[in-house]
Amino acid sequence: MGLGYYKKLKKRHILKRLVTERFSEPLHMNIVAFFVWIFGSYKAKIWFDLVLRQNHAYSLLQAAEHAIANGIKKITVIEFGVATGGGLMNIGKICQKLSKIYQVEFQVFGFDTGEGMPEPMDYRDHPELYKKGDFKMNRLLLESRLPANCQLVIGKVKDTIPHFLQHTDLINAPIGFISFDLDYYYSTKEALSILQHHPESYLSRFPVYFDDIALWSHNSWGGELLAIEEFNQTHPMRKIEQNRFLFYNRIFKHAAWLEQIYFVHVLDAPVRNRIRVNEPADVLVNPYL
Ligand SMILES: C[S@@+](CC[C@H](N)C(=O)[O-])C[C@H]1O[C@@H](n2cnc3c(N)ncnc32)[C@H](O)[C@@H]1O
């Protein structure tokens, strides 16, 4: 077991999650997981939720497999809200491992003020949970330790996103995963403007993770949930939706992160608007004939 696991186990909320989410799963599956942990491939470990920050591991695997299936050699990954960089470094390291398996290159960008949380505006930003100055970054230290595939984009997202979209070659490296962890409603609403670019700038559907929907205070009238709803109302060709069947596709079903994964559907993606002609028709096999 890596040092990362030991450090995490010392934290009370992580221990609580382990007990409620993992020890409540069938014993035989946890035994199988033990053998996967010792002998399994990296991909098997992702399937058995053995890679730290399972939400990132699942989403990045999805993105890599989608890219390969569509002949895409490079993808862009974004984390909104970096703070001290634990999430960004985790994403960078998972991408490095997946790159070796899938021959897909990843470029990872972490967006943050660099100075911690800005001022909240109103109740929709949950000022009872978050305040100005929370989650400060040690930029110099973080930049000196970041994996080579990661870079920081420093500033308020409303200022940095337009410049990023103008200067990043997303056509040759479409966005394949975004993690949203900006805590505030208004910051998330501004960050969602990343989804308004040319349709070729994205995989035609890709996972997004919303970190700040899981606390008891979170609700549909504020925070990330409100930002998602308003985005869907105002963007007819881009939609953000939970995959209702993700639960059935996972081995371990009690994990809270399953509820935090959504998918962006790029309805105007070229592949979704190509009417196929002159291709051999698919035939369904009837086992009774
Ligand atoms: C909870 S922290 C992120 C934690 C990080 N994802 C992790 O896994 O460790 C939220 C971060 O969002 C950033 N943030 C919030 N609103 C922002 C905005 N409008 N523009 C840029 N960064 C913002 C804050 O600076 C803060 O560091």
Side-chain angles (χ1 to χ4, degrees):
M1 199 182 279
L3 193 63
Y5 276 101
Y6 281 122
K7 276 193 194 158
K8 287 220 155 216
L9 284 178
K10 277 205 222 143
K11 294 188 182 150
R12 221 176 124 85
H13 71 280
I14 302 282
L15 204 57
K16 188 171 158 215
R17 262 188 53 198
L18 196 66
V19 172
T20 54
E21 295 182 18
R22 193 59 181 253
F23 292 171
S24 58
E25 298 282 2
L27 178 63
H28 68 279
M29 290 317 296
N30 273 311
I31 292 171
V32 175
F34 176 75
F35 286 101
V36 170
W37 172 50
I38 295 178
F39 301 112
S41 65
Y42 192 66
K43 190 174 160 183
K45 286 180 181 152
I46 292 178
W47 273 106
F48 278 81
D49 282 357
L50 293 165
V51 173
L52 281 182
R53 301 217 190 198
Q54 295 84 350
N55 52 317
H56 291 163
Y58 163 79
S59 303
L60 293 166
L61 177 60
Q62 271 283 322
E65 290 188 338
H66 186 137
I68 284 295
N70 289 279
I72 294 165
K73 297 261 174 285
K74 184 170 178 183
I75 46 185
T76 298
V77 171
I78 293 172
E79 182 183 48
F80 282 114
V82 175
T84 44
L88 189 64
M89 292 180 78
N90 169 268
I91 289 174
K93 282 172 200 254
I94 295 171
C95 287
Q96 284 176 337
K97 297 239 182 200
L98 289 174
S99 274
K100 288 192 190 131
I101 301 168
Y102 287 97
Q103 277 81 52
V104 175
E105 207 185 315
F106 293 84
Q107 55 176 2
V108 186
F109 296 93
F111 285 72
D112 201 285
T113 61
E115 300 164 351
M117 296 296 288
E119 193 98 49
M121 288 190 181
D122 58 41
Y123 71 92
R124 292 173 297 180
D125 300 321
H126 291 290
E128 79 280 19
L129 297 174
Y130 321 111
K131 62 183 182 306
K132 186 174 172 163
D134 282 349
F135 316 127
K136 260 205 174 91
M137 169 191 291
N138 182 337
R139 185 174 172 183
L140 279 183
L141 179 63
L142 180 57
E143 277 179 332
S144 70
R145 302 275 174 88
L146 271 182
N149 54 5
C150 296
Q151 50 189 297
L152 295 175
V153 183
I154 295 295
K156 289 193 172 170
V157 290
K158 79 168 175 356
D159 303 323
T160 51
I161 289 175
H163 183 268
F164 173 82
L165 288 175
Q166 218 182 339
H167 293 94
T168 311
D169 178 10
L170 295 175
I171 302 293
N172 290 307
I175 294 176
F177 171 54
I178 305 177
S179 169
F180 289 90
D181 191 6
L182 294 165
D183 298 354
Y184 289 159
Y185 156 75
Y186 85 85
S187 298
T188 308
K189 193 175 166 89
E190 288 168 2
L192 284 170
S193 68
I194 198 90
L195 300 178
Q196 293 171 358
H197 210 44
H198 308 298
E200 295 88 353
S201 314
Y202 316 95
L203 298 187
S204 60
R205 53 133 181 89
F206 62 94
V208 279
Y209 169 74
F210 289 97
D211 190 70
D212 307 302
I213 60 176
L215 299 179
W216 290 56
S217 280
H218 292 141
N219 62 73
S220 303
W221 293 270
E224 292 180 340
L225 289 172
L226 180 61
I228 296 168
E229 192 179 321
E230 290 182 354
F231 179 88
N232 282 335
Q233 277 169 7
T234 47
H235 294 84
M237 298 309 276
R238 308 278 160 87
K239 298 293 175 192
I240 306 168
E241 190 177 53
Q242 259 180 334
N243 181 329
R244 288 184 288 278
F245 294 90
L246 178 57
F247 170 89
Y248 299 100
N249 282 300
R250 296 301 299 173
I251 295 164
F252 293 113
K253 300 177 188 304
H254 296 172
W257 67 265
L258 296 179
E259 294 285 338
Q260 292 166 280
I261 299 287
Y262 286 59
F263 276 78
V264 172
H265 293 275
V266 182
L267 302 181
D268 52 348
V271 68
R272 287 181 183 244
N273 289 276
R274 200 181 64 223
I275 307 297
R276 290 183 290 159
V277 287
N278 301 330
E279 278 186 29
D282 288 338
V283 179
L284 292 178
V285 176
N286 179 346
Y288 302 102
L289 286 180

